Amino acid sequence: QHIRSYIGRATRDLTLVSISLVTGVDFEGLCETLHELIERPSPVRVRISLLDARVPALMATMAPVLVTTGEQLAQTIQSTMNRLLVFRTTLSPKGQKHFFLYFHKSIPFASAIIIDAREISGTIQIETKPYRAPLGQSLGFELKNGGKHALFQTLVSGYEKLIEDGDKHSPL
């Protein structure tokens, strides 16, 4: 419920950067909220970027952190992407133009939820998990833009570059 109410605050754009997007996420609830955001009269642009499961070195590097194997991690990420592709088909043609999927080719220092990054009211929530720590022991914090918050701008810029350096997933 937390992620649904948090991302539901977006008014212009929403960016989710994650390894696999499944850790602790009610996927159906997430998609329901995304659908509401995208299909409103003034649609929210939604971008989701997952770690590129097609790069074995990335899978091998992240798997021990998440206490899994590279093959299992790749399957999890691909499963999430497949579910997001199915979700895209539930959107109207107009809605599909506001929903973008990416694979990033570098490991971000943390997962991020970026809401309305260009607005003075923008926020970024950062979450990371220490090596082999249980899921309940992840660390998270939020920064608000406030117009001139240098760290906020640096983080948003870094995530933007991460997405730009990755691959956009082609529509169905």
Side-chain angles (χ1 to χ4, degrees), residues 47-121:
R47 297 181 306 162
I48 299 176
S49 186
L50 303 178
L51 192 62
D52 195 336
R54 302 166 299 183
V55 181
L58 290 175
M59 298 302 101
T61 300
M62 284 308 300
V65 175
L66 301 172
V67 193
T68 189
T69 67
E71 295 79 21
Q72 289 171 327
L73 180 57
Q75 288 173 356
T76 299
I77 294 168
Q78 193 56 55
S79 174
T80 300
M81 187 59 76
N82 290 341
R83 291 173 78 182
L84 291 169
L85 290 169
V86 169
F87 165 72
R88 185 188 320 210
T89 67
T90 70
L91 298 171
S92 68
K94 178 185 173 192
Q96 290 181 23
K97 294 178 182 175
H98 295 277
F99 184 67
F100 305 92
L101 298 172
Y102 301 86
F103 289 112
H104 46 270
K105 296 188 176 299
S106 295
I107 299 170
F109 85 97
S111 294
I113 301 173
I114 306 169
I115 298 174
D116 299 332
R118 305 289 176 252
E119 305 299 315
I120 206 161
S121 61

Side-chain angles (χ1 to χ4, degrees), residues 2-170:
H2 170 71
I3 191 169
R4 291 182 66 187
S5 60
Y6 188 76
I7 67 172
R9 301 182 335 191
T11 60
R12 292 191 180 255
D13 63 84
L14 170 68
T15 301
L16 303 172
V17 177
S18 180
I19 300 302
S20 65
L21 194 65
V22 296
T23 307
V25 172
D26 166 17
F27 199 83
E28 300 310 318
L30 172 68
C31 288
E32 182 180 310
T33 303
L34 293 175
H35 197 278
E36 292 168 6
L37 291 171
I38 294 167
E39 296 292 355
R40 59 174 58 160
S42 295
V44 172
R45 178 184 72 145
V46 174
R47 297 181 306 162
I48 299 176
S49 186
L50 303 178
L51 192 62
D52 195 336
R54 302 166 299 183
V55 181
L58 290 175
M59 298 302 101
T61 300
M62 284 308 300
V65 175
L66 301 172
V67 193
T68 189
T69 67
E71 295 79 21
Q72 289 171 327
L73 180 57
Q75 288 173 356
T76 299
I77 294 168
Q78 193 56 55
S79 174
T80 300
M81 187 59 76
N82 290 341
R83 291 173 78 182
L84 291 169
L85 290 169
V86 169
F87 165 72
R88 185 188 320 210
T89 67
T90 70
L91 298 171
S92 68
K94 178 185 173 192
Q96 290 181 23
K97 294 178 182 175
H98 295 277
F99 184 67
F100 305 92
L101 298 172
Y102 301 86
F103 289 112
H104 46 270
K105 296 188 176 299
S106 295
I107 299 170
F109 85 97
S111 294
I113 301 173
I114 306 169
I115 298 174
D116 299 332
R118 305 289 176 252
E119 305 299 315
I120 206 161
S121 61
T123 60
I124 183 170
Q125 183 185 80
I126 302 293
E127 184 175 356
T128 191
K129 186 178 88 54
Y131 181 75
R132 292 189 178 260
L135 293 178
Q137 294 182 355
S138 62
L139 164 73
F141 64 92
E142 177 186 78
L143 290 173
K144 297 181 187 273
N145 184 7
K148 298 187 186 214
H149 196 293
L151 181 56
F152 179 90
Q153 297 303 328
T154 298
L155 289 170
V156 168
S157 176
Y159 283 106
E160 294 282 337
K161 290 174 186 169
L162 179 79
I163 292 170
E164 289 170 14
D165 289 347
D167 290 335
K168 187 173 184 179
H169 195 289
S170 300

